[in-house]
Structures are given as C-alpha cells and as structure tokens.
Amino acid sequence: MTDTQVRRAVAAERTELAELLAGLDAAGWDAPTLCAGWRVREVVAHITMPYRLSSARFTLGMLAAFGNFNRMADRTARMDAATLSTSDLLKSLWDNVDHPWRPPGGGLSNALSHDVIHGLDITVALGLDRRVPEDRMRLVLDTIEPRTVKLFGAKLGGVELRADDLDFRYGSGTVLSGSAQDLLLVLCGRKLPPGHLTGEPAERFTVPG
C-alpha cells in the first residue's frame, strides 16, 4: 500500500471505532477489556493520549515513572479516564481520525497496528462481532516480528499460530488456530475469551471460564 492508502486505512479504523463507541452505554464504557486492569474508558484514553498529551506533560510523566513508558502510559490512561467524560474521550477520537501521529521509531503501519490492537481489546472483550477488514489486518500482521512479540511479553515457545481465515502462520510447534485477529491478540500477550481458539494449546491462551 502507498502512504496515502495506509493513512486512509488509519482514518477508517479510527472512524469505525468511534462509531462503535458512540453506541455504548455507561455500563459498556465501564466494562473490562483484554488490557489487564483497563476498562473501555482507559483503553480509549490510551488510544487518544498522543493527540492530547503535550510535550511538557509527556516529559513530566516519564520523569515521574522513572523513564518507564509503560508505567507512564498506565498512569496517564487511568488519570485521564477518571477526569475526562466519555463524551470528551469520544470527541478526542472523532477529532483526530486524520491525526498524523506515529509511534516513536515506527511508521504509519505501526499507527494502524496501535489502533487495531486496542480496538480489538475492546470489541473482543465485549463480545462484539466486529471483523477488521482483511487489507488492514494484513498490514498489521506485517509489522509483527520477534522483538514485537517479546515487547508484549507473549510466551509462544513450542506453539505455531495458524490463522483459519487467511494465509498467516507464526512460530513452530503445536498448532494453535483461530482468526487472524484473534491470533494477533495472542501475539500481543492477550488471553482471549473461551471459544476463540482451537488446538491443544488453546487453554493456555484463554481466560478461565
């Protein structure tokens, strides 16, 4: 894809997520997600953090977290989720569907990955039957490499991930099957609700029922 096409994919992904979030009630915004300890509102606060966080606040946050980005991001998401209304969070997403943000050291495809993964954290946890379009999913899967998996802390030793809806495999060993988007979540260290994965290792990557 060209940069223009990827930008359109990013904007479309953000727009579709905003439309979905607009239909949630208060209980939906407070529902847990696949991000441990984060409700929907914390995930949306995190997705929109790059649009709202000034350089000064980012620097102060990193200093307070002793340079640990994950700690800073967690604290910021929790703080913003507590102080911003759901309308504010949703407006931030709507206002920035075309925002040019890219993760530090990453490109447009990595920005798409960020939105897709966290969108799935919400939709899969809430049991919403949303499928990420195949062209976007292929772009995201192309960004996955061993250091990415290590960063997310996924433990995939002795397991081969094999998608049952498109041509995608990762790793070697006993086969774990599922949709490409569910396997993407496994690669990102998430555990999924029962019924999403098949194969002998499925229980290892499934939330206890």
Side-chain angles (χ1 to χ4, degrees):
M1 281 191 178
T2 65
D3 279 356
T4 297
Q5 289 173 315
V6 179
R7 280 195 292 270
R8 287 174 181 165
V10 171
E13 184 66 22
R14 291 173 185 167
T15 297
E16 290 168 23
L17 179 59
E19 290 171 345
L20 182 150
L21 292 168
L24 293 184
D25 58 15
W29 279 90
D30 284 331
T33 69
L34 299 187
C35 285
W38 283 4
R39 300 164 296 172
V40 170
R41 63 177 67 243
E42 278 85 16
V43 174
V44 179
H46 176 70
I47 292 172
T48 58
M49 181 182 75
Y51 320 143
R52 297 179 288 97
L53 205 62
S54 66
S55 297
R57 188 180 170 203
F58 176 84
T59 300
L60 289 172
M62 287 295 287
L63 288 172
F66 299 101
N68 185 309
F69 175 80
N70 289 334
R71 186 180 296 128
M72 184 279 294
D74 181 65
R75 288 177 176 173
T76 301
R78 293 175 187 276
M79 182 183 303
D80 290 351
T83 57
L84 297 173
S85 68
T86 56
S87 296
D88 291 333
L89 292 170
L90 185 56
K91 184 177 187 302
S92 181
L93 185 57
W94 274 122
D95 289 348
N96 291 284
V97 294
D98 293 312
H99 197 286
W101 173 80
R102 306 178 188 194
L108 285 169
S109 295
N110 298 99
L112 177 63
S113 296
H114 186 261
D115 293 330
V116 166
I117 292 165
H118 286 305
L120 289 170
D121 283 329
I122 293 170
T123 58
V124 173
L126 268 59
L128 302 176
D129 187 22
R130 188 209 173 220
R131 292 284 170 175
V132 178
E134 183 176 325
D135 59 338
R136 294 179 215 164
M137 183 54 56
R138 290 188 181 278
L139 276 173
V140 174
L141 291 173
D142 283 345
T143 68
I144 299 295
E145 52 190 31
R147 68 185 183 94
T148 309
V149 176
K150 183 178 180 180
L151 178 67
F152 280 112
K155 308 297 184 184
L156 302 177
V159 175
E160 177 189 334
L161 306 185
R162 188 182 298 175
D164 56 22
D165 58 345
L166 56 84
D167 184 16
F168 174 75
R169 296 184 181 189
Y170 187 94
S172 61
T174 307
V175 174
L176 177 71
S177 298
S179 68
Q181 65 184 43
D182 285 339
L183 296 184
L184 172 64
L185 290 169
V186 171
L187 286 161
C188 295
R190 273 55 165 183
K191 288 193 174 184
L192 278 66
H196 281 254
L197 304 169
T198 59
E200 185 180 328
E203 185 176 352
R204 178 173 151 193
F205 301 98
T206 299
V207 177

